[in-house]
DNA sequence: TATTGTTATACTCTATAACTATA
DNA sequence: TATAGTTATAGAGTATAACAATA
């Protein structure tokens, strides 16, 4: 814990809690944070990597596509955001002509958010561009490693989703 | 691409670009975004999962710990943030008593950021708490799967770091 | 009385630009 | 003239609270 240390990679010291069989956990914790920081960094400059839609726009459009005509609160729940926040996003995207709000036949308080033709086309283009970025990023990887990462990440997301609905909570 | 679709998981349609041997890439792209959204969501409520330090504070403290007495620009580079942004964080953390700025003997324009005893102790406690969260989150996983995830995530971060210094760019 | 959605407000994080002190 | 760091400012994203319309 000394201040003058200059080790760039973590080396277990006497102060570390060592759990037998879980020696990789300290590395995993570090790599998870590193990964998150990197994703956030790149997300900020989405246009600089050839994407036409920023992260929030793509997220909203994807959710509407997956859900079909959607109520605001359902979108908010799927996105993990407050309804007021999503309302702002939707308003902005409606001004851009990417989606529109139609009356909800079942509830006159609500409206249903749907994609416009432009929104659907832009989403489709961007989705393919994002997949191509992933392909290029991992172009030097063995296909098996990439598939294993896909599988583990899918399981991890499922695990985290489960934890959210349980008495326990999660990492950052 | 029809608006009335309500498939929650992506099913390849006729509009999808299919790359032989890379059929998992669409899933990977989706899971990467899902993962990022989840991490961001939990990061916002760091205190609600038992952490005393928020993500930025922990990031700055970790970087200072790893680097030792650090110049502001070096911290900013490591964190992927602008120097002005880090300057604000450091000022706030100095007010909290978690770190302090001392003169740089080599350059009177600069100062070196170092951890205080309180900062070092808080960082150490929080680091262990974060590792424990990871342990609990994956407590139901086979140890081999967890180790493989650690390994693949480490490789992925290295790959992404390499891409940053090359003519190509990256995902979001 | 409760719920859906919107808006007013405030707070945080971020970068750009202007500034100072030193190199 | 260039660089290290700070601060003023502005913009984006977020949540809370107050509101209107409907259930």
């Amino acid at each position: 814990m000394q201040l003058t240390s200059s080790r760039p990679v973590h080396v277990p010291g006497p102060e570390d809690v060592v759990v037998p069989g879980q020696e990789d956990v300290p590395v995993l914790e570090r790599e998870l944070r590193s990964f998150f920081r990197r994703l956030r960094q790149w997300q900020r400059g989405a246009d600089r990597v050839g994407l036409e839609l920023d992260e929030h726009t793509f997220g909203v459009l994807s959710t509407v596509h997956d859900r079909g005509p959607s109520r605001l609160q359902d979108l908010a729940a799927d996105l993990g955001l407050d309804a007021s926040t999503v309302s702002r996003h939707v308003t902005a995207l409606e001004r851009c002509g990417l989606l529109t709000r139609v009356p909800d036949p079942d509830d006159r308080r609500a409206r249903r958010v749907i994609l416009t033709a432009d929104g659907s086309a832009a989403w489709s283009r961007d989705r393919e561009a994002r997949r191509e970025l992933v392909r290029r990023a991992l172009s030097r990887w063995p296909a098996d490693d990439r598939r294993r990462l896909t599988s583990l990440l899918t399981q991890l997301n499922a695990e985290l989703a489960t934890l959210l609905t349980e008495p326990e909570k999660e990492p950052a």
Side-chain angles (χ1 to χ4, degrees), chain A:
Chain A
M1 214 72 44
Q2 65 275 36
L3 300 175
T4 51
S5 161
S6 62
R7 46 188 186 189
V9 175
H10 180 71
V11 176
E15 75 284 356
D16 287 319
V17 175
V18 176
V19 178
Q22 304 200 3
E23 293 82 3
D24 59 311
V25 167
V27 177
L28 181 53
E29 190 275 329
R30 171 183 287 264
E31 296 297 329
L32 282 170
R33 279 187 297 114
S34 174
F35 185 55
F36 178 72
R37 218 182 313 140
R38 237 178 272 278
L39 286 184
R40 188 177 46 189
Q41 201 172 333
W42 279 330
Q43 181 197 296
R44 288 194 69 85
D47 54 332
R48 275 173 285 184
V49 294
L51 299 177
E52 63 180 310
L53 305 178
D54 63 46
E55 185 61 22
H56 300 287
T57 299
F58 188 73
V60 171
L61 264 48
S62 293
T63 307
V64 174
H65 174 270
D66 290 348
R67 297 189 56 91
S70 308
R71 292 158 49 117
L72 198 72
Q73 302 215 339
D74 293 331
L75 287 184
D78 277 17
L79 291 166
L81 296 171
D82 188 82
S84 65
T85 300
V86 179
S87 181
R88 285 190 181 285
H89 287 311
V90 168
T91 300
L93 295 179
E94 192 168 31
R95 285 207 192 92
C96 296
L98 296 177
L99 48 75
T100 187
R101 287 183 266 213
V102 300
D104 183 331
D106 302 334
D107 186 340
R108 283 191 300 175
R109 293 173 302 183
R111 292 201 274 176
R112 298 283 184 153
V113 179
I114 61 173
L115 298 180
T116 61
D118 277 0
S120 189
W123 173 78
S124 189
R125 281 194 303 272
D126 214 60
R127 188 191 57 171
E128 194 48 45
R130 285 165 185 267
R131 290 175 180 175
E132 186 54 30
L133 282 173
V134 171
R135 283 189 200 98
R136 278 195 295 176
L138 299 182
S139 61
R140 289 178 289 204
W141 273 33
D144 276 355
D145 283 357
R146 196 199 53 240
R147 292 198 193 95
R148 221 176 321 224
L149 175 63
T150 301
S151 170
L152 289 170
L153 202 56
T154 302
Q155 290 178 52
L156 180 60
N157 282 331
E159 190 74 40
L160 298 181
T162 300
L163 286 176
L164 266 184
T165 60
E166 288 183 8
E168 295 177 324
K169 306 291 177 58
E170 257 338 277

